[in-house]
């Protein structure tokens, strides 16, 4: 009964054409809608967000494919699409294709958080591989590399003298070939991309960094990171001109998850979309009769 009332009164609010205003920076990101069936199959959806100031959740669409998000963008007026100058995304192939196909004039921007997150994940992969190679088992509480896992993910500037000395000692004890140390330096260097102010200097830095990381003598994880930097070079460097990120998208995803917790999950996507947009889509409540 309550949901029937929400549908009756809420649908006109979220379908109000004036709810979506002009957008200059558009962000795409995925969220988990539900787990369904016997095997708890994951059903994903895509959040479409105005990442400008103030940010706004524009819509939520089922799936995380390029076709679904491209179709949504192409349904919008041509004038609205023409105003979009920046397309912000994580390192996602489908969303990259969406911006290429539907907003070819917009400059794509790789989200800095996800670039650094990738560097951290490659570092962790290297640590776990070296752990297996040297000791033949997964990390245990007394193993040097396992004990170093938290220190490795911290920014170097956040380590005090005692923390840095502890990290160096653990790497000397558990990393005989220096592979984890090299992956750690690679991660810190990737973080350094975002301390550069000049876009031209950042362009040169990323190109040289990608070439250095793909050296055959480097660990396989570092080479993989270097290839990713090379493939996404333009999107990574574009941040230095745009200064926009998917931070607002992640914040709105948190609001979406709050609605899921309050509702103890949803089975109908239409109800899920309605509740989410009423909460985070900034409807005009003056239209409510």
């Amino acid at each position: 009964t309550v949901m029937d009332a929400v549908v009756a009164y809420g649908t006109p609010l979220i379908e109000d054409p004036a709810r979506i205003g002009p957008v200059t920076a558009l962000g795409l990101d995925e969220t988990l809608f539900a787990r369904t069936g016997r095997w708890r199959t994951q059903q994903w959806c895509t959040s479409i967000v105005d990442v400008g100031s103030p940010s706004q959740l524009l819509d939520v669409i089922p799936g995380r494919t390029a076709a679904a998000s491209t179709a949504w963008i192409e349904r919008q007026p041509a004038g609205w699409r023409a105003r979009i100058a920046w397309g912000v995304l994580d390192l996602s192939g489908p969303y990259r294709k969406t911006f290429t196909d539907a907003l070819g004039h917009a400059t794509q921007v790789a989200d800095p958080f996800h670039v650094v997150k990738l560097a951290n994940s490659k570092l962790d992969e290297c640590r776990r591989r070296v752990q297996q190679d040297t000791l033949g088992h997964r990390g245990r509480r007394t193993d040097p590399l396992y004990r170093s896992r938290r220190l490795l993910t911290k920014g170097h500037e956040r380590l005090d003298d005692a923390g840095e000395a502890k990290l160096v000692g653990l790497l000397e004890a558990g990393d005989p070939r220096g592979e984890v140390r090299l992956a750690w330096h690679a991660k810190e260097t990737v973080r350094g991309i975002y301390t550069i102010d000049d876009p031209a200097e950042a362009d040169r830095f990323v190109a040289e960094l990608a070439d250095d990381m793909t050296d055959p003598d480097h660990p396989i994880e570092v080479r993989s990171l270097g290839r990713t930097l090379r493939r996404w070079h333009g999107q990574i460097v574009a941040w230095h001109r745009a200064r926009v990120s998917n931070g607002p998208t992640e914040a709105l995803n948190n609001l979406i998850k709050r609605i899921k917790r309050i509702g103890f999950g949803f089975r109908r996507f239409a109800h899920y979309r309605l509740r989410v947009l009423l909460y985070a889509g900034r409807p005009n409540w003056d239209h409510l009769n």
Side-chain angles (χ1 to χ4, degrees):
T1 301
V2 172
M3 195 64 216
D4 287 343
V6 173
V7 171
Y9 288 92
T11 300
L13 298 183
I14 68 166
E15 301 299 343
D16 176 19
R19 184 179 67 83
I20 299 178
V23 175
T24 58
L26 190 70
L28 299 177
D29 198 15
E30 61 189 19
T31 54
L32 182 63
F33 162 53
R35 292 181 173 87
T36 59
R38 178 182 178 184
W39 306 110
R40 309 295 291 166
T41 303
Q42 294 179 330
Q43 302 291 328
W44 295 89
C45 61
T46 296
S47 301
I48 302 175
V49 177
D50 175 6
V51 296
S53 181
S55 59
Q56 178 188 5
L57 179 64
L58 303 179
D59 212 336
V60 181
I61 58 176
R64 52 177 177 176
T65 63
S69 48
T70 299
W72 187 93
I73 294 174
E74 290 179 344
R75 287 197 300 269
Q76 309 309 309
W80 183 87
R81 298 197 305 268
R83 292 176 62 96
I84 298 176
W86 311 103
V88 189
L89 69 164
D90 56 13
L91 304 180
S92 166
Y95 294 151
R96 181 179 186 173
K97 187 176 187 305
T98 294
F99 285 126
T100 301
D101 293 346
L103 295 171
H105 65 279
T107 302
Q108 298 176 23
V109 182
D111 182 51
F113 169 80
H114 288 90
V115 175
V116 176
K117 180 182 177 182
L118 176 66
N120 271 299
S121 67
K122 293 299 180 182
L123 169 59
D124 197 53
E125 288 177 19
C126 182
R127 178 190 63 79
R128 288 187 276 115
R129 178 181 58 79
V130 172
Q131 168 79 33
Q132 287 283 354
D133 291 346
T134 54
L135 298 179
H137 58 74
R138 295 178 59 186
R140 297 172 183 171
R141 190 168 54 181
T142 57
D143 295 337
L145 287 183
Y146 184 78
R147 292 173 58 196
S148 69
R149 68 195 190 283
R150 303 299 182 196
L151 293 171
L152 287 170
T153 57
K154 281 189 176 182
H156 183 258
E157 72 280 359
R158 296 178 57 202
L159 292 174
D160 56 16
D161 293 339
E164 184 168 2
K166 180 179 179 181
L167 176 60
V168 171
L170 292 173
L171 290 178
E172 290 177 352
D175 183 30
R177 297 186 298 272
E179 292 179 281
V180 179
R181 183 190 294 266
L182 187 57
W184 178 62
H185 283 300
K187 182 263 295 186
E188 289 297 316
T189 308
V190 169
R191 293 181 65 241
I193 293 172
Y194 299 102
T195 63
I196 300 173
D197 293 326
D198 181 26
E201 182 182 349
D203 193 351
R204 293 190 296 270
F205 183 83
V206 173
E208 293 173 3
L209 181 60
D211 289 341
D212 290 343
M213 286 185 174
T214 51
D215 188 288
D217 294 333
H218 288 343
I220 186 173
E221 296 82 6
V222 175
R223 298 201 303 270
S224 174
L225 178 60
R227 290 192 297 269
T228 301
L229 293 181
R230 182 175 292 163
R231 285 196 306 271
W232 292 86
H233 173 271
Q235 290 85 348
I236 293 172
V237 174
W239 178 85
H240 293 80
R241 292 184 286 115
R243 300 288 174 165
V244 292
S245 74
N246 252 351
T249 307
E250 299 292 346
L252 288 167
N253 284 345
N254 185 51
L255 298 183
I256 291 173
K257 293 173 184 176
R258 185 181 301 176
I259 288 295
K260 287 177 59 178
R261 288 194 297 268
I262 293 172
F264 291 92
F266 289 88
R267 289 180 293 178
R268 298 185 184 181
F269 183 81
H271 290 178
Y272 168 79
R273 173 177 177 268
L274 176 61
R275 291 279 298 275
V276 164
L277 289 178
L278 286 175
Y279 186 58
R282 292 172 55 196
N284 184 357
W285 293 100
D286 292 337
H287 293 316
L288 188 63
N289 188 341

